[in-house]
Amino acid sequence: AQSVTQLDSQVPVFEEAPVELRCNYSSSVSVYLFWYVQYPNQGLQLLLKYLSGSTLVESINGFEAEFNKSQTSFHLRKPSVHISDTAEYFCAVRHYGKLTFGQGTILTVHP
Amino acid sequence: EAGVTQFPSHSVIEKGQTVTLRCDPISGHDNLYWYRRVMGKEIKFLLHFVKESKQDESGMPNNRFLAERTGGTYSTLKVQPAELEDSGVYFCASSQVVWQPPRAPYEQYFGPGTRLTVT
């Protein structure tokens, strides 16, 4: 069975500060890793994914995540956040189609 | 091209009533998934359709929940009778198995969700 733990339920930061949202997973088999984002009053959107190859993956809006197999982590980072990054972020693993999600991290960016 | 749509966006019903949620996947997507997020908890998998067949229904909580996908297009999720603990947001997602740019294969695209409140 797979499980995902997001270590922080809420992360408040100031605009232009760096941020890291932590995610650890547990799985007995190889999995694919994802970060989804839910902006206020919207549905879930895929932010980035790790399927294979380079362990560092990037999104179009400046986020990046690094797959660390030895630490079973897939932390999400951004060097400088914007107000518009305020949202809830979900880490997930996929195995045989089914996604297993973490509890979510609410990122609040303050001016 | 339209994304995944869900109806209704909100539903408030009394305990013991019946509610039917609908999901229209992206056209041509054979895979359809239902997920649920109960308040304060993580998003949990309910079931997976491949076309009209149930591939995996291991996440369905009990027999008060019935999912159908007649004809392999839209899907419905019926809760009968509804209980207080059924309150939450129900998400639907769809994916395809072939490369159809700009959408990647096996990537799940989510609808906006249906917020169900049972009073």
Side-chain angles (χ1 to χ4, degrees):
Chain A
Q2 292 74 44
S3 67
V4 178
T5 302
Q6 290 182 242
L7 297 163
D8 306 292
S9 59
Q10 297 192 53
V11 174
V13 294
F14 288 106
E15 194 172 19
E16 298 183 5
V19 70
E20 178 180 77
L21 306 184
R22 296 178 293 169
C23 172
N24 286 92
Y25 70 94
S26 173
S27 176
S28 57
V29 297
S30 296
V31 294
Y32 301 126
L33 294 156
F34 302 83
W35 277 98
Y36 282 84
V37 59
Q38 186 177 25
Y39 298 103
N41 301 315
Q42 295 186 31
L44 288 164
Q45 301 174 32
L46 180 65
L47 185 62
L48 47 74
K49 60 189 175 187
Y50 171 76
L51 303 181
S52 64
S54 173
T55 57
L56 183 66
V57 290
E58 299 178 353
S59 72
I60 59 172
N61 58 351
F63 282 93
E64 64 178 31
E66 185 161 20
F67 168 58
N68 188 318
K69 188 174 182 179
S70 63
Q71 297 185 7
T72 60
S73 68
F74 191 54
H75 301 331
L76 182 70
R77 303 183 182 94
K78 189 170 185 179
S80 176
V81 294
H82 302 285
I83 297 288
S84 60
D85 293 323
T86 293
E88 189 163 17
Y89 293 78
F90 298 91
C91 183
V93 300
R94 190 180 79 202
H95 182 59
Y96 284 123
K98 178 170 68 175
L99 287 168
T100 301
F101 287 90
Q103 299 89 332
T105 298
I106 297 173
L107 173 65
T108 304
V109 182
H110 299 282
Chain B
E1 183 185 72
V4 177
T5 58
Q6 294 186 245
F7 182 83
S9 57
H10 294 86
S11 180
V12 181
I13 62 172
E14 293 183 353
K15 176 182 172 181
Q17 289 185 321
T18 298
V19 63
T20 300
L21 313 180
R22 173 171 170 144
C23 168
D24 286 81
I26 294 169
S27 178
H29 281 198
D30 288 337
N31 293 297
L32 188 148
Y33 306 84
W34 284 98
Y35 295 86
R36 176 176 75 169
R37 189 182 195 194
V38 172
M39 187 175 291
K41 304 282 189 177
E42 68 271 25
I43 300 169
K44 284 195 171 180
F45 168 83
L46 296 179
L47 87 159
H48 170 203
F49 283 100
V50 177
K51 296 185 179 178
E52 65 274 11
S53 299
K54 292 177 185 175
Q55 181 77 14
D56 180 356
E57 51 183 330
S58 61
M60 294 288 265
N62 52 61
N63 59 10
R64 295 186 294 103
F65 289 75
L66 175 63
E68 294 181 323
R69 193 182 182 196
T70 306
T73 54
Y74 70 92
S75 174
T76 58
L77 181 64
K78 180 189 287 188
V79 185
Q80 178 182 31
E83 299 288 347
L84 298 178
E85 63 264 26
D86 301 331
S87 295
V89 180
Y90 290 75
F91 292 102
C92 175
S94 70
S95 71
Q96 62 201 27
V97 299
V98 295
W99 181 263
Q100 289 181 342
R103 303 190 193 275
Y106 300 107
E107 188 171 301
Q108 292 184 30
Y109 296 88
F110 281 78
T114 293
R115 181 173 296 278
L116 174 64
T117 302
V118 183
T119 62

